[in-house]
Amino acid sequence: MEPTHTYERWNDLPIRALLLSVPASEDVPMFCNFIREALPREGVNTLVVRFRYQYQFKCHPELADRGALSEADVKQIVLACREAGIALVPKMNLLGHQSEELELMPLLAHYPQFDESPHLNPPDPWVSPGQFDFYCKSLCPLHPDVYPILFALMDELIEVCEADSFHAGMDEAWIIGDDHCPRCAGRDKAELFAYITTRLHNHLAEKGRRMWIWSDRLIDGKTTNLLGWQASMNGTHRAIDLIPQDIIICDWKYEDAPPTPAYFAVKGFDVLASSCYNPEAAIGQLEQIYLIRKNAKRAFFSTTLSSRMKGVFATSWIDAKAFIDAYYEPDSGLHTDLAINTTRTFKELFAEIRVNGDPIDQKAPNNCPGCDLQ
């Protein structure tokens, strides 16, 4: 008997996103050409740009990092995205990642009072961290003076990018509730994480903007054995029941495809499966998204669960120019293995979405009263 019901089209994903680092000012024209020419062809409909402090903030000019883009630079990117029909989402890190190796990021460099652990410094010379060693500085979630600055930075990036959403990072915050912090010592780490996340969320919600964050601090690293990078080993995972459920969770898994997207969907969050440099992992995540969207629709009571699997989010942590160069000329011999694998994963993931554009047909069980839902 021929199948009678169509539950999902493989290219029917509401969000098909790519994360790129902010380009250098001299590379903005190349960046914009890539947006116009390559991204619509690949099927990308959302571009997340990782600004950090690489913007010439007017509200806090002291926080502009080296190579920061001007308003005119960013407006070129905004125009390119508009012409390509692509949503632009600015991204910062608003808890952890306030240092990189030996260097403080501008916020703590100018406002050291916001440091959650001023006594704890990176090893000099720098060594790559293990699971529980020093990785990066964090902001103090309970310092009352940090929020007016964070809100101002968020507002300015949202305005210049003409954005409806904002990615606040929140990943890999190993330092939280430090025993030496006069405000946070002894407090529940999950409650601290939920407090700063909720304050940032509420500010965005007041502006009519949606918050995106990474997933790792909301996963129990011990129970899942995902440990301290892809999950939390310091107790922040319980914040999943304390934060607003209209946050989009970007569930990054770069080595494989554990079934964590379903966990967030069951908890009530919209989810993007996020890949980077492993094509097999990226395709495995895509298959999970499709299967849950399809099978949840087959259950009469689970259409909401299906709708929470919003799509995919390919990420890149290399220089924007390096990504674009490797995208166009992968065989030039001039690229790092990371650049080659990152662009290859992006291409294969989006090719899978495009090639499998035919409907997935499944016959509804005879005893399912609601299985005529499309």
Side-chain angles (χ1 to χ4, degrees):
M1 181 180 296
E2 289 295 321
T4 57
H5 291 74
T6 299
Y7 293 97
E8 185 62 78
R9 291 188 63 88
W10 278 68
N11 58 354
D12 183 22
L13 296 176
I15 299 177
R16 304 179 301 278
L18 172 66
L19 168 69
L20 292 177
S21 299
V22 67
S25 181
E26 62 269 22
D27 294 329
V28 167
M30 175 186 67
F31 193 81
C32 292
N33 287 338
F34 179 72
I35 292 171
R36 294 185 179 97
E37 296 171 0
L39 297 192
R41 181 174 67 244
E42 293 288 352
V44 172
N45 67 3
T46 305
L47 176 64
V48 182
V49 175
R50 182 171 61 110
F51 279 92
R52 287 193 171 182
Y53 299 96
Q54 290 178 297
Y55 176 66
Q56 296 174 19
F57 293 101
K58 296 177 182 177
C59 62
H60 285 280
E62 74 279 8
L63 299 183
D65 208 348
R66 295 184 302 273
L69 296 190
S70 67
E71 179 180 357
D73 290 329
V74 176
K75 286 302 183 183
Q76 291 183 56
I77 297 172
V78 172
L79 178 60
C81 287
R82 184 183 305 123
E83 291 176 347
I86 291 172
L88 177 60
V89 179
K91 179 189 179 298
M92 291 188 72
N93 295 307
L94 298 183
L95 179 57
H97 288 286
Q98 299 303 319
S99 66
E100 187 166 345
E101 296 190 358
L102 298 176
E103 182 179 5
L104 289 176
M105 294 287 103
L107 186 55
L108 288 187
H110 287 274
Y111 299 95
Q113 65 269 34
F114 298 154
D115 191 342
E116 175 70 358
S117 58
H119 66 286
L120 184 60
N121 293 302
D124 188 1
W126 174 257
V127 292
S128 182
Q131 285 282 356
F132 309 105
D133 297 327
F134 180 92
Y135 179 37
C136 58
K137 289 278 192 177
S138 294
L139 299 176
C140 174
L142 295 183
H143 200 297
D145 298 332
V146 74
Y147 289 98
I149 296 178
L150 296 184
F151 293 162
L153 298 179
M154 295 161 66
D155 289 347
E156 189 166 345
L157 269 184
I158 287 169
E159 181 178 359
V160 71
C161 291
E162 303 175 24
D164 293 327
S165 298
F166 184 90
H167 197 312
M170 312 301 288
D171 60 313
E172 297 174 348
W174 295 3
I175 300 174
I176 186 169
D178 188 85
D179 290 340
H180 292 77
C181 178
R183 293 163 295 275
C184 299
R187 292 182 177 265
D188 185 285
K189 298 180 190 299
E191 293 180 359
L192 289 170
F193 186 88
Y195 176 79
I196 184 171
T197 302
T198 301
R199 286 208 60 176
L200 297 174
H201 162 274
N202 290 349
H203 179 77
L204 290 169
E206 289 172 1
K207 305 286 184 177
R209 285 5 184 233
R210 193 165 188 189
M211 186 181 194
W212 295 26
I213 66 172
W214 299 116
S215 64
D216 52 284
R217 297 306 93 193
L218 302 175
I219 300 172
D220 184 349
K222 297 176 183 178
T223 300
T224 61
N225 201 38
L226 291 171
L227 303 179
W229 290 97
Q230 301 175 98
S232 171
M233 296 291 283
N234 61 4
T236 61
H237 62 280
R238 290 179 288 102
I240 194 170
D241 295 317
L242 304 174
I243 63 175
Q245 290 182 325
D246 60 346
I247 296 171
I248 291 185
I249 304 296
C250 304
D251 187 24
W252 68 272
K253 298 294 179 291
Y254 295 167
E255 303 293 341
D256 49 23
T260 46
Y263 172 66
F264 288 105
V266 169
K267 282 290 189 177
F269 294 90
D270 287 346
V271 189
L272 297 175
S274 305
S275 58
C276 186
Y277 48 72
N278 185 315
E280 291 76 18
I283 300 304
Q285 294 164 7
L286 178 65
E287 290 172 350
Q288 286 189 45
I289 296 292
Y290 285 141
L291 286 171
I292 295 170
R293 284 174 67 85
K294 178 185 71 176
N295 286 303
K297 284 185 179 181
R298 293 176 64 186
F300 180 64
F301 55 85
S302 298
T303 53
T304 300
L305 179 63
S306 170
S307 70
R308 291 174 188 153
M309 311 304 284
K310 290 299 182 186
V312 296
F313 186 16
T315 68
S316 168
W317 300 98
I318 58 177
D319 176 81
K321 184 178 186 301
F323 182 94
I324 295 170
D325 287 345
Y327 173 87
Y328 283 119
E329 298 182 347
D331 301 321
S332 68
L334 301 177
H335 313 300
T336 65
D337 289 344
L338 179 59
I340 293 171
N341 290 334
T342 300
T343 53
R344 176 190 166 206
T345 300
F346 166 65
K347 288 181 177 180
E348 292 191 15
L349 173 63
F350 278 80
E352 187 74 18
I353 295 171
R354 296 192 309 275
V355 169
N356 292 286
D358 293 330
I360 299 176
D361 293 321
Q362 298 287 338
K363 186 177 185 301
N366 293 330
N367 61 350
C368 177
C371 286
D372 56 345
L373 292 175
Q374 298 297 311

